[in-house]
Amino acid sequence: MTSIATLGSHCSLQVLKGAKDEGFKTILVCEKKREKLYRRFKFIDELIIVEKFSEILNQEIQEKLKQQDAILIPHGTLIAQMSSEEIESITVPIFGNKWILRWESDRTMKEKLMREATLPMPKPVTEPKDIEKLVIVKRQGAAGGKGYFMAANEEDYNTKRNQLISEGVISKDETLYIQEYAAGVLAYLQFFYSPLTGELEFFGVDQRHESDIEGLGRIPSEQQLKSKKVPSFNVIGNSPLVLRESLLDEVYTMGENFVEAAKRIVSPGMNGPFCIEGVYDENAKFTSFEFSARIVAGTNIYMDGSPYYSLLFNENMSMGKRIAREVKIAEEKNEIEKIVT
Ligand code: AMP
């Protein structure tokens, strides 16, 4: 019997609850320090205890998972803690397309896929000396916004970079990615694409709450000016958002363009959950600064189903449950190979 496995962090509760509801055995690869937390949840059938998540690369653990016909659901923690090579080397079947995760982690590849999908993007800035407008400086991979900073010109860039290096937040030889800052309402658009039906589903929207950039708005400018701290964009939590209905058509178009682009350049394409992340400006024009090629933690706000999924399903459907449903349908149709890599 197939089981559903994931790493104990990020959205694992949602994923395994959804899997349980769909009748699967559930397995959590759990760091020892979090065992107590996860034992609280009865829908987790088995915990595989590790010291570090990277132990999932060990043959022994992979064998354990394979013996139980496990399908591994990738999420942000897998990407944040392992290199693309390591993820690609995992021989346990991974839900969706494990090859596309590299395109999420590598900034140059990411930009290429977004361009292929004709997503409107903020202009990248190649060299610090070319900074003319306000920019945001990012790190590689799914760093969760930690160590990101804003800069108005080259001097500002150097000062802040040096400060973060001396504080040990970023390292000296790290390649940073510079992009024009896009101001507006943040919106993280969550989708699911099923290679079984060939259909794109729009699941929901979330907003991220990021410390300490968000806390800045609560401090009067006088105090802000005196502060020497470089504010970071570390994600603390998420909250729901619904969009003006007039924006939905464009949302679907962007999602479909992304799916088509992924099919062309990274086979077998963007299967399963993904997210397009960006900002709506004063003319409701969307600029996308990111994508995530797997389930995002922002879907955790809809564990009981999202507003948009209540229009598509006559039942409560979380993203975790949607993933498990896809596995179930694929099994019934004998098409598992279409939904895993
Ligand atoms: P990311 O890792 O690209 O998702 O960025 C983390 C956070 O930085 C986002 O959630 C946004 O708050 C912010 N951010 C990233 N890129 C931009 C941009 N080009 N303009 C404005 N804010 C951005």
Side-chain angles (χ1 to χ4, degrees), residues 107 110 121-123 134-139 141-146 148 150 177-184 186 188 207-210 213 232-235 277-279 287-292:
R107 292 275 173 205
K110 175 170 263 177
M121 281 186 286
K123 220 173 94 200
L134 186 63
V135 295
I136 179 161
V137 185
K138 308 184 182 191
R139 306 171 72 194
K146 214 171 178 173
Y148 287 20
M150 280 154 79
Y177 178 86
I178 313 170
Q179 183 176 72
E180 274 182 7
Y181 187 81
L186 294 170
Y188 301 80
Q207 286 201 315
R208 260 170 227 174
H209 297 283
E210 296 161 328
I213 193 72
S232 90
F233 289 75
N234 196 18
V235 182
E277 299 149 20
V279 166
T287 303
S288 171
F289 46 75
E290 269 295 344
F291 70 81
S292 299

Side-chain angles (χ1 to χ4, degrees), residues 111-323:
E111 215 184 289
K112 186 172 168 206
L113 181 50
M114 290 173 77
R115 199 164 290 132
E116 179 77 21
T118 62
L119 283 173
M121 281 186 286
K123 220 173 94 200
V125 179
T126 332
E127 303 272 351
K129 68 171 173 42
D130 300 331
I131 301 174
E132 285 166 358
K133 288 186 187 156
L134 186 63
V135 295
I136 179 161
V137 185
K138 308 184 182 191
R139 306 171 72 194
Q140 299 281 335
K146 214 171 178 173
Y148 287 20
F149 61 94
M150 280 154 79
N153 51 42
E154 186 181 10
E155 190 192 341
D156 193 21
Y157 171 93
N158 286 330
T159 314
K160 287 176 177 156
R161 178 172 171 268
N162 290 340
Q163 187 180 331
L164 290 173
I165 292 170
S166 70
E167 289 169 3
V169 179
I170 59 175
S171 71
K172 206 166 71 237
D173 34 64
E174 206 169 320
T175 316
L176 299 175
Y177 178 86
I178 313 170
Q179 183 176 72
E180 274 182 7
Y181 187 81
V185 174
L186 294 170
Y188 301 80
L189 312 171
Q190 308 157 349
F191 301 90
F192 185 95
Y193 174 74
S194 167
L196 301 176
T197 61
E199 270 181 46
L200 175 77
E201 298 159 11
F202 177 48
F203 176 72
V205 196
D206 76 283
Q207 286 201 315
R208 260 170 227 174
H209 297 283
E210 296 161 328
S211 205
D212 36 14
I213 193 72
E214 209 172 281
L216 261 192
R218 299 167 63 106
I219 301 172
S221 60
E222 203 185 331
Q223 273 77 33
Q224 286 185 21
L225 288 169
K226 284 181 196 142
S227 165
K228 287 272 172 293
K229 191 167 190 306
V230 181
S232 90
F233 289 75
N234 196 18
V235 182
I236 302 299
N238 308 73
S239 61
L241 186 75
V242 283
L243 292 175
R244 286 174 66 164
E245 198 160 311
S246 56
L247 296 174
L248 286 187
D249 194 39
E250 192 204 2
V251 166
Y252 275 100
T253 305
M254 287 191 291
E256 273 162 0
N257 287 344
F258 191 76
V259 166
E260 288 311 317
K263 263 186 201 157
R264 286 195 295 274
I265 65 176
V266 48
S267 177
M270 186 59 266
N271 298 340
F274 68 99
C275 183
I276 296 175
E277 299 149 20
V279 166
Y280 281 99
D281 72 7
E282 75 271 27
N283 300 315
K285 185 181 162 302
F286 190 74
T287 303
S288 171
F289 46 75
E290 269 295 344
F291 70 81
S292 299
R294 35 80 199 171
I295 183 170
V296 286
T299 57
N300 283 340
I301 52 183
Y302 304 120
M303 291 204 207
D304 224 15
S306 72
Y308 298 103
Y309 259 20
S310 71
L311 303 172
L312 301 180
F313 296 89
N314 284 320
E315 60 180 306
N316 294 349
M317 179 68 75
S318 70
M319 187 54 89
K321 190 168 165 189
R322 180 65 188 88
I323 292 171

Side-chain angles (χ1 to χ4, degrees), residues 86-125:
E86 287 171 334
I87 296 172
E88 288 163 4
S89 77
I90 295 174
T91 52
V92 176
I94 293 185
F95 186 79
N97 179 1
K98 69 177 172 186
W99 310 105
I100 202 169
L101 300 177
R102 179 184 283 275
W103 292 73
E104 173 182 336
S105 298
D106 181 297
R107 292 275 173 205
T108 315
M109 291 171 90
K110 175 170 263 177
E111 215 184 289
K112 186 172 168 206
L113 181 50
M114 290 173 77
R115 199 164 290 132
E116 179 77 21
T118 62
L119 283 173
M121 281 186 286
K123 220 173 94 200
V125 179

